[in-house]
Amino acid sequence: MEESALELAASLPAADTPHGQAEAEELGRAISRFLRAQKEPARVVFLRRYWYADSVEQAAAHMGWSISKTKTVLYRTRNRLRDFLEQEGLWNG
């Protein structure tokens, strides 16, 4: 599995059961709500990394940020996503 997918998977619940598949749609809607609520730079770098599968280096270059800043923003956004999903009842880590 690609590194970016592993990073994100650690923040998401499993969808490998019939019940989990039904929750996957709800999860998708929740992630969309979460991303719309984020400030644009965090949303853009998150999408570059996890939707477009950019490397951290590519995402940093796209944003004009250092690699360190990019990693920090991604880490914090993943943590906020996990917290949001916990509040929504979609993640119980």
Side-chain angles (χ1 to χ4, degrees), residues 10-51:
S11 301
L12 300 175
D16 55 0
T17 64
H19 185 266
Q21 290 174 356
E23 287 181 338
E25 288 183 26
E26 184 178 354
L27 178 63
R29 288 189 298 272
I31 292 171
S32 291
R33 283 193 314 273
F34 168 80
L35 288 173
R36 282 192 299 271
Q38 300 306 297
K39 292 182 180 176
E40 185 176 355
R43 180 176 60 244
V44 169
V45 77
F46 187 90
L47 289 171
R48 298 293 311 180
R49 180 71 174 134
Y50 301 116
W51 182 258

Side-chain angles (χ1 to χ4, degrees), residues 16-91:
D16 55 0
T17 64
H19 185 266
Q21 290 174 356
E23 287 181 338
E25 288 183 26
E26 184 178 354
L27 178 63
R29 288 189 298 272
I31 292 171
S32 291
R33 283 193 314 273
F34 168 80
L35 288 173
R36 282 192 299 271
Q38 300 306 297
K39 292 182 180 176
E40 185 176 355
R43 180 176 60 244
V44 169
V45 77
F46 187 90
L47 289 171
R48 298 293 311 180
R49 180 71 174 134
Y50 301 116
W51 182 258
Y52 296 108
D54 282 0
S55 67
V56 172
E57 294 79 7
Q58 290 169 318
H62 178 82
M63 300 302 293
W65 293 348
S66 69
I67 292 171
S68 176
K69 177 178 179 173
T70 302
K71 286 180 178 180
T72 298
V73 170
L74 289 168
Y75 175 79
R76 289 177 180 168
T77 304
R78 286 192 313 269
N79 285 341
R80 285 193 307 271
L81 173 59
R82 188 181 59 243
D83 292 345
F84 174 81
L85 294 176
E86 285 175 352
Q87 291 172 358
E88 295 288 308
L90 296 171
W91 173 257

